[in-house]
Amino acid sequence: MTWRGDVAELLAEAGVLDVDVEDVEDIVADEHVRSAAYQRVVSVAAAAPSRERDRALVATILRDPHEMTSKTAVVALVDGVATRASGQAEFRRWAAGVLPEVDRLATEAYREFIRRRVDDWLFHLAVRDGHVPTAAELAQVTDWMQRLVAEESTSPAVLALLAASGRRGKTRNVAMNRSRSRSRSRSADGSRGRRGAAGDGRGGRG
């Protein structure tokens, strides 16, 4: 099947039937229309219960003649699958299955961007599952991922690390503010708990 035929099949499988064009030829002729269509396709694919067809999907998208369009779509798929992964091991297996297709990209910077995105998500999933990274591990991930973890992590140790070793000032400030906010919240909860226990004790003596 030709690339145009593959694109038509992707659209049909994802249920993208309401694009404002008469024919798939119109879609493939306009990179902006293709980009929007790809985003819808990968959104559907990422939410699917099976990951079996993802490599074929990536291979088709990466045959797009406009590499920025295809890179952007693959990154969106990586993000979608990562946020739904049960853990680091599952996502690592998925990535190992699709990353060989990335070599289709002629632009090295785009290949590297996708691989770094995968590494970022592996870091994120490890932290989510309880791993406290070292400063050296933190330094290996992008500014974007450091900021995301600072905004999402609830681990005091992780927030402390980011507050001390985050690459950007904004990231350090986010982590520091969230750490302080959580500390105040825990202190307030503890105080309420102690007051409640004291009140129960006085009531019992009465």
Side-chain angles (χ1 to χ4, degrees), residues 144-206:
W144 172 78
M145 180 50 68
Q146 287 190 8
R147 179 67 178 268
L148 183 63
V149 174
E151 292 171 345
E152 295 185 355
S153 179
T154 59
S155 166
V158 172
L159 291 175
L161 173 65
L162 283 158
S165 302
R167 191 175 296 113
R168 300 290 185 182
K170 287 184 178 180
T171 297
R172 295 192 297 271
N173 289 337
V174 168
M176 186 179 300
N177 291 336
R178 291 194 67 238
S179 181
R180 288 172 176 171
S181 177
R182 292 183 62 79
S183 294
R184 287 194 296 268
S185 178
R186 287 194 298 271
S187 296
D189 289 344
S191 296
R192 285 194 293 270
R194 287 192 295 274
R195 287 196 297 271
D200 290 344
R202 287 194 297 273
R205 286 195 297 273

Short mmCIF file of all heavy atoms in Angstrom, two decimals, residues 144-206:
data_model
loop_
_atom_site.label_atom_id
_atom_site.label_comp_id
_atom_site.label_asym_id
_atom_site.label_seq_id
_atom_site.Cartn_x
_atom_site.Cartn_y
_atom_site.Cartn_z
N TRP A 144 12.14 20.52 30.77
CA TRP A 144 10.69 20.27 30.74
C TRP A 144 10.30 19.20 31.75
O TRP A 144 9.33 19.37 32.51
CB TRP A 144 10.27 19.86 29.32
CG TRP A 144 8.86 19.40 29.22
CD1 TRP A 144 7.74 20.19 29.19
CD2 TRP A 144 8.40 18.04 29.14
NE1 TRP A 144 6.61 19.39 29.09
CE2 TRP A 144 6.99 18.08 29.06
CE3 TRP A 144 9.05 16.80 29.13
CZ2 TRP A 144 6.22 16.93 28.97
CZ3 TRP A 144 8.28 15.65 29.04
CH2 TRP A 144 6.87 15.72 28.96
N MET A 145 11.04 18.10 31.80
CA MET A 145 10.69 17.03 32.72
C MET A 145 10.97 17.41 34.16
O MET A 145 10.20 17.07 35.06
CB MET A 145 11.42 15.74 32.34
CG MET A 145 11.10 14.55 33.26
SD MET A 145 9.31 14.25 33.52
CE MET A 145 8.78 13.70 31.90
N GLN A 146 12.06 18.14 34.40
CA GLN A 146 12.32 18.59 35.76
C GLN A 146 11.15 19.44 36.27
O GLN A 146 10.69 19.28 37.41
CB GLN A 146 13.62 19.40 35.82
CG GLN A 146 14.87 18.55 35.68
CD GLN A 146 16.13 19.34 35.99
OE1 GLN A 146 16.08 20.47 36.45
NE2 GLN A 146 17.28 18.73 35.74
N ARG A 147 10.67 20.32 35.41
CA ARG A 147 9.54 21.18 35.81
C ARG A 147 8.28 20.35 36.03
O ARG A 147 7.52 20.57 36.99
CB ARG A 147 9.31 22.24 34.73
CG ARG A 147 8.13 23.18 35.00
CD ARG A 147 8.38 24.08 36.20
NE ARG A 147 7.27 25.00 36.43
CZ ARG A 147 7.21 26.22 35.91
NH1 ARG A 147 8.20 26.67 35.14
NH2 ARG A 147 6.18 27.00 36.16
N LEU A 148 8.02 19.37 35.17
CA LEU A 148 6.83 18.53 35.30
C LEU A 148 6.86 17.77 36.62
O LEU A 148 5.85 17.70 37.33
CB LEU A 148 6.74 17.56 34.13
CG LEU A 148 5.49 16.66 34.08
CD1 LEU A 148 4.24 17.51 33.93
CD2 LEU A 148 5.60 15.66 32.94
N VAL A 149 8.00 17.19 36.96
CA VAL A 149 8.11 16.45 38.22
C VAL A 149 7.95 17.40 39.40
O VAL A 149 7.30 17.07 40.40
CB VAL A 149 9.44 15.69 38.30
CG1 VAL A 149 9.63 15.04 39.67
CG2 VAL A 149 9.50 14.61 37.21
N ALA A 150 8.52 18.60 39.31
CA ALA A 150 8.37 19.58 40.38
C ALA A 150 6.90 19.94 40.60
O ALA A 150 6.46 20.16 41.73
CB ALA A 150 9.17 20.84 40.07
N GLU A 151 6.12 19.97 39.52
CA GLU A 151 4.71 20.32 39.60
C GLU A 151 3.84 19.16 40.07
O GLU A 151 2.76 19.38 40.65
CB GLU A 151 4.21 20.80 38.24
CG GLU A 151 4.80 22.12 37.80
CD GLU A 151 4.45 22.47 36.36
OE1 GLU A 151 4.00 21.57 35.61
OE2 GLU A 151 4.64 23.64 35.99
N GLU A 152 4.30 17.92 39.88
CA GLU A 152 3.44 16.76 40.13
C GLU A 152 3.85 15.89 41.31
O GLU A 152 3.01 15.24 41.93
CB GLU A 152 3.36 15.89 38.88
CG GLU A 152 2.69 16.56 37.71
CD GLU A 152 2.51 15.64 36.51
OE1 GLU A 152 3.00 14.49 36.56
OE2 GLU A 152 1.91 16.08 35.53
N SER A 153 5.12 15.83 41.62
CA SER A 153 5.57 14.91 42.66
C SER A 153 5.04 15.31 44.04
O SER A 153 4.93 16.50 44.35
CB SER A 153 7.10 14.85 42.70
OG SER A 153 7.53 13.96 43.73
N THR A 154 4.74 14.31 44.84
CA THR A 154 4.32 14.55 46.23
C THR A 154 5.38 14.07 47.22
O THR A 154 5.15 14.10 48.42
CB THR A 154 2.98 13.84 46.51
OG1 THR A 154 3.14 12.43 46.29
CG2 THR A 154 1.87 14.38 45.62
N SER A 155 6.51 13.62 46.71
CA SER A 155 7.56 13.11 47.57
C SER A 155 8.38 14.25 48.16
O SER A 155 8.97 15.04 47.42
CB SER A 155 8.50 12.19 46.77
OG SER A 155 9.70 11.94 47.47
N PRO A 156 8.46 14.36 49.48
CA PRO A 156 9.29 15.41 50.08
C PRO A 156 10.75 15.33 49.64
O PRO A 156 11.38 16.37 49.41
CB PRO A 156 9.14 15.15 51.58
CG PRO A 156 7.83 14.45 51.73
CD PRO A 156 7.73 13.59 50.51
N ALA A 157 11.27 14.10 49.51
CA ALA A 157 12.67 13.94 49.11
C ALA A 157 12.90 14.41 47.68
O ALA A 157 13.91 15.05 47.38
CB ALA A 157 13.10 12.49 49.27
N VAL A 158 11.97 14.10 46.79
CA VAL A 158 12.09 14.51 45.39
C VAL A 158 11.97 16.03 45.27
O VAL A 158 12.74 16.68 44.55
CB VAL A 158 11.04 13.80 44.52
CG1 VAL A 158 11.04 14.38 43.10
CG2 VAL A 158 11.30 12.30 44.47
N LEU A 159 11.01 16.60 45.99
CA LEU A 159 10.84 18.05 45.94
C LEU A 159 12.06 18.76 46.52
O LEU A 159 12.49 19.81 46.00
CB LEU A 159 9.58 18.46 46.70
CG LEU A 159 8.25 18.04 46.04
CD1 LEU A 159 7.08 18.38 46.95
CD2 LEU A 159 8.08 18.70 44.68
N ALA A 160 12.64 18.19 47.57
CA ALA A 160 13.85 18.79 48.15
C ALA A 160 15.00 18.75 47.16
O ALA A 160 15.77 19.71 47.04
CB ALA A 160 14.22 18.06 49.43
N LEU A 161 15.13 17.64 46.45
CA LEU A 161 16.19 17.52 45.44
C LEU A 161 16.00 18.55 44.34
O LEU A 161 16.96 19.23 43.93
CB LEU A 161 16.20 16.11 44.85
CG LEU A 161 17.15 15.89 43.66
CD1 LEU A 161 18.60 16.05 44.11
CD2 LEU A 161 16.92 14.51 43.05
N LEU A 162 14.78 18.69 43.86
CA LEU A 162 14.51 19.66 42.80
C LEU A 162 14.72 21.08 43.28
O LEU A 162 15.21 21.94 42.53
CB LEU A 162 13.09 19.46 42.28
CG LEU A 162 12.91 18.27 41.35
CD1 LEU A 162 11.45 17.84 41.31
CD2 LEU A 162 13.39 18.61 39.94
N ALA A 163 14.35 21.37 44.51
CA ALA A 163 14.54 22.71 45.06
C ALA A 163 16.02 23.06 45.15
O ALA A 163 16.41 24.22 44.98
CB ALA A 163 13.89 22.81 46.44
N ALA A 164 16.84 22.04 45.38
CA ALA A 164 18.28 22.28 45.51
C ALA A 164 19.03 22.17 44.20
O ALA A 164 19.99 22.91 43.96
CB ALA A 164 18.87 21.29 46.52
N SER A 165 18.58 21.25 43.32
CA SER A 165 19.38 20.91 42.14
C SER A 165 18.66 21.08 40.82
O SER A 165 19.20 20.71 39.77
CB SER A 165 19.88 19.46 42.25
OG SER A 165 20.63 19.28 43.44
N GLY A 166 17.45 21.61 40.83
CA GLY A 166 16.76 21.86 39.56
C GLY A 166 17.57 22.80 38.69
O GLY A 166 18.21 23.72 39.18
N ARG A 167 17.53 22.56 37.38
CA ARG A 167 18.39 23.32 36.48
C ARG A 167 17.95 24.78 36.35
O ARG A 167 18.77 25.68 36.24
CB ARG A 167 18.40 22.66 35.11
CG ARG A 167 19.47 23.21 34.15
CD ARG A 167 19.50 22.42 32.85
NE ARG A 167 19.91 21.05 33.07
CZ ARG A 167 19.11 19.99 32.89
NH1 ARG A 167 17.86 20.16 32.49
NH2 ARG A 167 19.55 18.77 33.11
N ARG A 168 16.66 25.02 36.37
CA ARG A 168 16.12 26.36 36.18
C ARG A 168 15.60 26.93 37.50
O ARG A 168 15.07 26.20 38.34
CB ARG A 168 14.98 26.34 35.16
CG ARG A 168 15.37 25.85 33.78
CD ARG A 168 16.27 26.84 33.07
NE ARG A 168 16.56 26.42 31.71
CZ ARG A 168 17.35 27.08 30.88
NH1 ARG A 168 17.93 28.19 31.28
NH2 ARG A 168 17.59 26.63 29.66
N GLY A 169 15.72 28.25 37.62
CA GLY A 169 15.22 28.90 38.82
C GLY A 169 13.73 28.68 39.02
O GLY A 169 13.27 28.49 40.15
N LYS A 170 12.96 28.70 37.93
CA LYS A 170 11.51 28.49 38.04
C LYS A 170 11.21 27.10 38.59
O LYS A 170 10.30 26.93 39.41
CB LYS A 170 10.84 28.68 36.68
CG LYS A 170 10.76 30.13 36.23
CD LYS A 170 10.00 30.25 34.91
CE LYS A 170 9.89 31.70 34.49
NZ LYS A 170 9.15 31.84 33.20
N THR A 171 11.97 26.11 38.14
CA THR A 171 11.77 24.75 38.63
C THR A 171 12.09 24.66 40.12
O THR A 171 11.35 24.06 40.90
CB THR A 171 12.65 23.77 37.84
OG1 THR A 171 12.25 23.78 36.47
CG2 THR A 171 12.51 22.35 38.39
N ARG A 172 13.20 25.26 40.52
CA ARG A 172 13.58 25.24 41.93
C ARG A 172 12.52 25.93 42.78
O ARG A 172 12.17 25.45 43.87
CB ARG A 172 14.95 25.90 42.12
CG ARG A 172 16.09 25.14 41.46
CD ARG A 172 17.45 25.65 41.92
NE ARG A 172 17.67 27.04 41.55
CZ ARG A 172 18.20 27.44 40.40
NH1 ARG A 172 18.55 26.55 39.48
NH2 ARG A 172 18.39 28.73 40.14
N ASN A 173 11.99 27.04 42.29
CA ASN A 173 10.98 27.77 43.05
C ASN A 173 9.68 26.98 43.17
O ASN A 173 9.06 26.97 44.24
CB ASN A 173 10.70 29.12 42.38
CG ASN A 173 11.84 30.10 42.55
OD1 ASN A 173 12.65 29.98 43.47
ND2 ASN A 173 11.92 31.07 41.65
N VAL A 174 9.27 26.32 42.08
CA VAL A 174 8.06 25.50 42.14
C VAL A 174 8.23 24.40 43.17
O VAL A 174 7.34 24.16 44.01
CB VAL A 174 7.74 24.90 40.75
CG1 VAL A 174 6.67 23.81 40.87
CG2 VAL A 174 7.27 25.98 39.79
N ALA A 175 9.36 23.71 43.13
CA ALA A 175 9.60 22.61 44.07
C ALA A 175 9.65 23.12 45.51
O ALA A 175 9.08 22.51 46.42
CB ALA A 175 10.90 21.90 43.71
N MET A 176 10.33 24.24 45.72
CA MET A 176 10.45 24.80 47.06
C MET A 176 9.09 25.21 47.61
O MET A 176 8.74 24.91 48.77
CB MET A 176 11.39 26.00 47.04
CG MET A 176 11.69 26.57 48.42
SD MET A 176 12.84 27.99 48.32
CE MET A 176 14.26 27.18 47.55
N ASN A 177 8.29 25.89 46.79
CA ASN A 177 6.97 26.35 47.23
C ASN A 177 6.04 25.17 47.52
O ASN A 177 5.29 25.20 48.50
CB ASN A 177 6.35 27.27 46.18
CG ASN A 177 7.06 28.60 46.08
OD1 ASN A 177 7.71 29.03 47.02
ND2 ASN A 177 6.96 29.25 44.92
N ARG A 178 6.10 24.15 46.69
CA ARG A 178 5.24 22.99 46.92
C ARG A 178 5.68 22.23 48.16
O ARG A 178 4.86 21.72 48.92
CB ARG A 178 5.24 22.07 45.69
CG ARG A 178 4.53 22.67 44.49
CD ARG A 178 4.25 21.64 43.41
NE ARG A 178 3.27 20.68 43.88
CZ ARG A 178 3.47 19.38 43.93
NH1 ARG A 178 4.63 18.87 43.56
NH2 ARG A 178 2.52 18.57 44.35
N SER A 179 6.99 22.15 48.36
CA SER A 179 7.50 21.48 49.56
C SER A 179 7.05 22.20 50.82
O SER A 179 6.59 21.58 51.79
CB SER A 179 9.03 21.41 49.49
OG SER A 179 9.55 20.75 50.63
N ARG A 180 7.14 23.54 50.82
CA ARG A 180 6.71 24.32 51.98
C ARG A 180 5.22 24.21 52.20
O ARG A 180 4.74 24.09 53.34
CB ARG A 180 7.09 25.79 51.78
CG ARG A 180 8.59 26.06 51.89
CD ARG A 180 8.91 27.48 51.50
NE ARG A 180 10.33 27.79 51.67
CZ ARG A 180 10.91 28.88 51.24
NH1 ARG A 180 10.19 29.80 50.58
NH2 ARG A 180 12.20 29.09 51.44
N SER A 181 4.46 24.24 51.11
CA SER A 181 3.01 24.14 51.21
C SER A 181 2.60 22.80 51.80
O SER A 181 1.72 22.73 52.67
CB SER A 181 2.38 24.32 49.83
OG SER A 181 0.98 24.15 49.88
N ARG A 182 3.26 21.74 51.36
CA ARG A 182 2.93 20.41 51.88
C ARG A 182 3.34 20.29 53.35
O ARG A 182 2.66 19.65 54.14
CB ARG A 182 3.61 19.33 51.03
CG ARG A 182 3.03 19.22 49.63
CD ARG A 182 3.67 18.09 48.85
NE ARG A 182 3.42 16.80 49.49
CZ ARG A 182 2.28 16.12 49.39
NH1 ARG A 182 1.28 16.62 48.67
NH2 ARG A 182 2.12 14.97 49.99
N SER A 183 4.46 20.91 53.71
CA SER A 183 4.90 20.87 55.11
C SER A 183 3.90 21.59 56.00
O SER A 183 3.56 21.12 57.09
CB SER A 183 6.28 21.52 55.24
OG SER A 183 7.25 20.76 54.57
N ARG A 184 3.41 22.76 55.54
CA ARG A 184 2.41 23.49 56.33
C ARG A 184 1.13 22.70 56.46
O ARG A 184 0.49 22.68 57.52
CB ARG A 184 2.14 24.85 55.68
CG ARG A 184 3.27 25.86 55.85
CD ARG A 184 2.80 27.25 55.50
NE ARG A 184 2.41 27.36 54.09
CZ ARG A 184 3.23 27.73 53.13
NH1 ARG A 184 4.50 28.03 53.41
NH2 ARG A 184 2.82 27.83 51.89
N SER A 185 0.74 22.03 55.36
CA SER A 185 -0.48 21.24 55.39
C SER A 185 -0.37 20.09 56.37
O SER A 185 -1.29 19.81 57.15
CB SER A 185 -0.78 20.71 53.98
OG SER A 185 -1.93 19.91 53.98
N ARG A 186 0.80 19.43 56.36
CA ARG A 186 1.00 18.31 57.30
C ARG A 186 1.02 18.81 58.73
O ARG A 186 0.48 18.18 59.63
CB ARG A 186 2.30 17.58 56.97
CG ARG A 186 2.24 16.74 55.70
CD ARG A 186 3.43 15.79 55.63
NE ARG A 186 4.70 16.51 55.58
CZ ARG A 186 5.28 16.91 54.46
NH1 ARG A 186 4.70 16.70 53.29
NH2 ARG A 186 6.44 17.55 54.48
N SER A 187 1.63 19.98 58.96
CA SER A 187 1.68 20.54 60.31
C SER A 187 0.28 20.89 60.79
O SER A 187 -0.08 20.62 61.94
CB SER A 187 2.56 21.79 60.32
OG SER A 187 3.90 21.46 60.01
N ALA A 188 -0.52 21.48 59.89
CA ALA A 188 -1.88 21.84 60.26
C ALA A 188 -2.71 20.60 60.56
O ALA A 188 -3.49 20.56 61.52
CB ALA A 188 -2.53 22.65 59.13
N ASP A 189 -2.56 19.57 59.74
CA ASP A 189 -3.30 18.33 59.98
C ASP A 189 -2.90 17.71 61.31
O ASP A 189 -3.74 17.20 62.06
CB ASP A 189 -3.03 17.33 58.85
CG ASP A 189 -3.69 17.75 57.55
OD1 ASP A 189 -4.58 18.61 57.59
OD2 ASP A 189 -3.31 17.21 56.49
N GLY A 190 -1.59 17.77 61.60
CA GLY A 190 -1.12 17.21 62.86
C GLY A 190 -1.66 17.97 64.05
O GLY A 190 -2.05 17.38 65.06
N SER A 191 -1.71 19.30 63.93
CA SER A 191 -2.24 20.11 65.02
C SER A 191 -3.70 19.84 65.26
O SER A 191 -4.16 19.71 66.40
CB SER A 191 -2.02 21.61 64.71
OG SER A 191 -0.65 21.91 64.64
N ARG A 192 -4.46 19.72 64.18
CA ARG A 192 -5.89 19.42 64.33
C ARG A 192 -6.08 18.06 64.98
O ARG A 192 -6.97 17.86 65.81
CB ARG A 192 -6.58 19.48 62.97
CG ARG A 192 -6.79 20.90 62.44
CD ARG A 192 -7.77 20.89 61.27
NE ARG A 192 -7.21 20.21 60.12
CZ ARG A 192 -6.52 20.80 59.17
NH1 ARG A 192 -6.25 22.09 59.25
NH2 ARG A 192 -6.05 20.11 58.13
N GLY A 193 -5.22 17.12 64.58
CA GLY A 193 -5.33 15.78 65.16
C GLY A 193 -5.04 15.79 66.64
O GLY A 193 -5.74 15.14 67.43
N ARG A 194 -4.04 16.56 67.07
CA ARG A 194 -3.69 16.62 68.49
C ARG A 194 -4.79 17.31 69.28
O ARG A 194 -5.14 16.89 70.39
CB ARG A 194 -2.36 17.35 68.66
CG ARG A 194 -1.15 16.53 68.22
CD ARG A 194 0.15 17.17 68.68
NE ARG A 194 0.38 18.47 68.05
CZ ARG A 194 0.97 18.61 66.87
NH1 ARG A 194 1.35 17.55 66.16
NH2 ARG A 194 1.16 19.83 66.37
N ARG A 195 -5.36 18.38 68.71
CA ARG A 195 -6.44 19.07 69.41
C ARG A 195 -7.65 18.17 69.55
O ARG A 195 -8.31 18.14 70.58
CB ARG A 195 -6.83 20.35 68.66
CG ARG A 195 -5.80 21.47 68.80
CD ARG A 195 -6.43 22.80 68.37
NE ARG A 195 -6.82 22.80 66.96
CZ ARG A 195 -6.05 23.15 65.98
NH1 ARG A 195 -4.78 23.52 66.20
NH2 ARG A 195 -6.48 23.14 64.74
N GLY A 196 -7.93 17.40 68.50
CA GLY A 196 -9.06 16.49 68.57
C GLY A 196 -8.86 15.43 69.63
O GLY A 196 -9.77 15.09 70.38
N ALA A 197 -7.65 14.88 69.67
CA ALA A 197 -7.35 13.83 70.67
C ALA A 197 -7.45 14.39 72.06
O ALA A 197 -7.99 13.76 72.98
CB ALA A 197 -5.95 13.27 70.43
N ALA A 198 -6.97 15.65 72.28
CA ALA A 198 -7.04 16.25 73.60
C ALA A 198 -8.50 16.49 74.00
O ALA A 198 -8.90 16.25 75.14
CB ALA A 198 -6.28 17.58 73.61
N GLY A 199 -9.29 16.94 73.02
CA GLY A 199 -10.71 17.16 73.32
C GLY A 199 -11.41 15.89 73.69
O GLY A 199 -12.20 15.84 74.62
N ASP A 200 -11.11 14.78 73.00
CA ASP A 200 -11.74 13.52 73.31
C ASP A 200 -11.37 13.09 74.72
O ASP A 200 -12.19 12.54 75.47
CB ASP A 200 -11.28 12.44 72.32
CG ASP A 200 -11.84 12.69 70.93
OD1 ASP A 200 -12.82 13.49 70.85
OD2 ASP A 200 -11.35 12.10 69.96
N GLY A 201 -10.09 13.37 75.08
CA GLY A 201 -9.66 12.95 76.42
C GLY A 201 -10.41 13.71 77.50
O GLY A 201 -10.83 13.14 78.49
N ARG A 202 -10.58 15.02 77.32
CA ARG A 202 -11.29 15.81 78.31
C ARG A 202 -12.74 15.38 78.41
O ARG A 202 -13.33 15.29 79.50
CB ARG A 202 -11.20 17.29 77.95
CG ARG A 202 -9.82 17.90 78.20
CD ARG A 202 -9.91 19.43 78.15
NE ARG A 202 -10.31 19.90 76.82
CZ ARG A 202 -9.46 20.14 75.85
NH1 ARG A 202 -8.16 19.95 76.02
NH2 ARG A 202 -9.88 20.58 74.67
N GLY A 203 -13.32 15.06 77.25
CA GLY A 203 -14.71 14.62 77.28
C GLY A 203 -14.86 13.33 78.05
O GLY A 203 -15.81 13.11 78.80
N GLY A 204 -13.89 12.43 77.92
CA GLY A 204 -13.97 11.15 78.62
C GLY A 204 -13.89 11.33 80.13
O GLY A 204 -14.58 10.66 80.89
N ARG A 205 -13.04 12.29 80.57
CA ARG A 205 -12.92 12.51 82.01
C ARG A 205 -14.18 13.14 82.57
O ARG A 205 -14.53 12.92 83.73
CB ARG A 205 -11.72 13.42 82.27
CG ARG A 205 -10.38 12.71 82.10
CD ARG A 205 -9.26 13.54 82.71
NE ARG A 205 -9.11 14.86 82.02
CZ ARG A 205 -8.36 15.03 80.95
NH1 ARG A 205 -7.71 14.01 80.39
NH2 ARG A 205 -8.26 16.22 80.41
N GLY A 206 -14.87 13.92 81.73
CA GLY A 206 -16.11 14.53 82.23
C GLY A 206 -17.16 13.46 82.39
O GLY A 206 -18.01 13.57 83.25
#
